[in-house]
Amino acid sequence: MNSRREFLKNLGLATAGITLAPSLDLFAAKKDWFKISLAEWSLHKKLFKGDLKNIDFPEYTAKNFGIYGVEYVNQFFKDKAKDMTYLKDLNNRAKDNGVTNVLIMIDGEGNLGDRDEAKRLAAVENHYKWIDAANFLGCHAVRVNAAGQGTKEEVKGQVVKSLSTLADYGKKGKIAVVVENHGGISSHGDWLSDVLKTVGKKNCGSLPDFGNFYEYDRYKGVTELMPYAHGVSAKSHDFDAQGNDTKVDYQKMMEIVKNAKYKGWVGIEYEGSNLSEDEGIKKTKALLERFK
């Protein structure tokens, strides 16, 4: 009771304009330069087994990990893109748990770099419903893939056309269309950055993934993609005794991200098998928090 009385007394002094010593800098809290979100793929084993449903993903993320941004994967609610009742429920569940819907990752809707023009146009058309769903959910972006057949230049030409069309469509709902380095030619940072430069639209950018570079130097790739970044995917697999990722030098990666003047969401995407999905997510979160 005495401590409460003392607090109220001090509050009265403060409102009277009298400075307390030591000064209580209640509003001088350090602001983090990035926010942590969770990519739904981190929980894909649980989701495929049916132990977790997409509709419960926001609440599960907030309550189990203290993470308040979610990145959906469309295959976990594949038939719900136009189901407004479902999307409204999903939105409400996110809001009820203080969770921001960050983006939707789109897979399985056709190749945006398909050399068959009819198939390419069908793929573009297939993406529209997810852009609409992202807009309804209050997301800022959709993640797409730059896959196709042919030479680097042939795939680039087709992908550029598709991304330009999707970016124009997304602009109406303030949705960015972002491409992840996700295998094939898209995992070459120089190629993908050139594609995005050629598209030349503010709402068409990258989602650099720390892990999906394969034979390409990952640090070079992230450096090349960061100027176009509308998000960052913090891929993780295994950890050493100090809590560091054994494949990715997070210190180096986060310096690249910060040096690019990036401020936004960094999404955890745990893909390891030595730890449970939940433990891997917690380890990745603890690792990222070192760099805030």
Side-chain angles (χ1 to χ4, degrees):
M1 195 68 168
N2 286 339
S3 61
R4 184 172 183 274
R5 191 178 297 121
E6 197 64 29
F7 172 76
L8 292 172
K9 180 183 170 190
N10 287 341
L11 188 65
L13 290 171
T15 51
I18 299 169
T19 304
L20 299 175
S23 174
L24 296 175
D25 279 329
L26 296 175
F27 303 105
K30 175 179 165 285
K31 193 174 181 188
D32 296 329
W33 63 274
F34 70 92
K35 295 175 283 187
I36 296 174
S37 51
L38 180 64
E40 192 169 19
W41 189 254
S42 301
L43 294 162
H44 69 274
K45 293 172 189 172
K46 257 190 180 66
L47 286 149
F48 282 133
K49 276 169 65 179
D51 293 343
L52 178 66
K53 290 184 171 62
N54 180 74
I55 199 78
D56 299 315
F57 174 49
E59 181 178 6
Y60 191 86
T61 299
K63 291 187 174 174
N64 286 275
F65 310 115
I67 294 174
Y68 297 95
V70 291
E71 303 178 8
Y72 298 100
V73 176
N74 72 328
Q75 60 186 289
F76 297 121
F77 58 125
K78 190 79 174 175
D79 59 340
K80 305 295 186 186
K82 296 181 179 180
D83 187 334
M84 301 312 289
T85 302
Y86 181 90
L87 295 178
K88 187 178 281 188
D89 188 13
L90 186 59
N91 225 358
N92 287 337
R93 290 184 188 223
K95 285 178 182 172
D96 288 348
N97 289 280
V99 171
T100 298
N101 294 325
V102 177
L103 57 83
I104 300 175
M105 297 187 178
I106 306 171
D107 298 306
E109 296 291 3
N111 291 337
L112 296 177
D114 204 303
R115 57 158 53 114
D116 182 312
E117 190 65 5
K119 288 181 180 177
R120 184 189 71 80
L121 290 171
V124 169
E125 188 78 27
N126 289 343
H127 282 70
Y128 288 156
K129 61 183 177 291
W130 292 109
I131 292 176
D132 293 340
N135 178 38
F136 183 83
L137 291 171
C139 299
H140 81 273
V142 293
R143 188 276 277 142
V144 304
N145 298 308
Q149 314 83 23
T151 67
K152 288 182 181 182
E153 283 304 311
E154 286 169 343
V155 178
K156 175 188 170 183
Q158 295 294 78
V159 168
V160 166
K161 286 191 286 185
S162 296
L163 291 178
S164 296
T165 303
L166 289 175
D168 287 343
Y169 186 84
K171 192 175 181 182
K172 302 165 195 170
K174 295 183 179 176
I175 299 294
V177 176
V178 301
V179 188
E180 180 182 350
N181 46 300
H182 211 194
I185 190 62
S186 76
S187 288
H188 289 241
D190 54 355
W191 181 86
L192 185 51
S193 60
D194 180 49
V195 165
L196 297 172
K197 183 181 178 182
T198 304
V199 173
K201 294 180 185 290
K202 283 186 178 179
N203 72 321
C204 182
S206 65
L207 181 72
D209 184 296
F210 293 172
N212 291 347
F213 286 101
Y214 310 106
E215 78 279 1
Y216 199 85
D217 182 271
R218 69 180 81 234
Y219 306 102
K220 180 175 184 283
V222 171
T223 301
E224 289 166 335
L225 294 177
M226 279 311 302
Y228 306 95
H230 288 256
V232 171
S233 187
K235 182 68 59 64
S236 61
H237 291 91
D238 297 309
F239 304 87
D240 63 20
Q242 286 73 46
N244 295 305
D245 189 272
T246 57
K247 290 186 178 180
V248 178
D249 182 340
Y250 263 69
Q251 175 82 43
K252 188 173 181 179
M253 277 300 191
M254 293 307 288
E255 281 177 7
I256 292 169
V257 173
K258 191 172 189 179
N259 288 340
K261 304 288 190 285
Y262 177 79
K263 290 180 181 178
W265 295 97
V266 174
I268 292 170
E269 193 168 53
Y270 173 67
E271 282 192 346
S273 53
N274 291 331
L275 296 174
S276 69
E277 290 178 320
D278 284 29
E279 284 306 306
I281 290 165
K282 289 173 184 175
K283 284 267 192 185
T284 312
K285 183 189 178 196
L287 178 54
L288 279 175
E289 285 177 335
R290 297 184 199 171
F291 307 108
K292 282 191 162 187

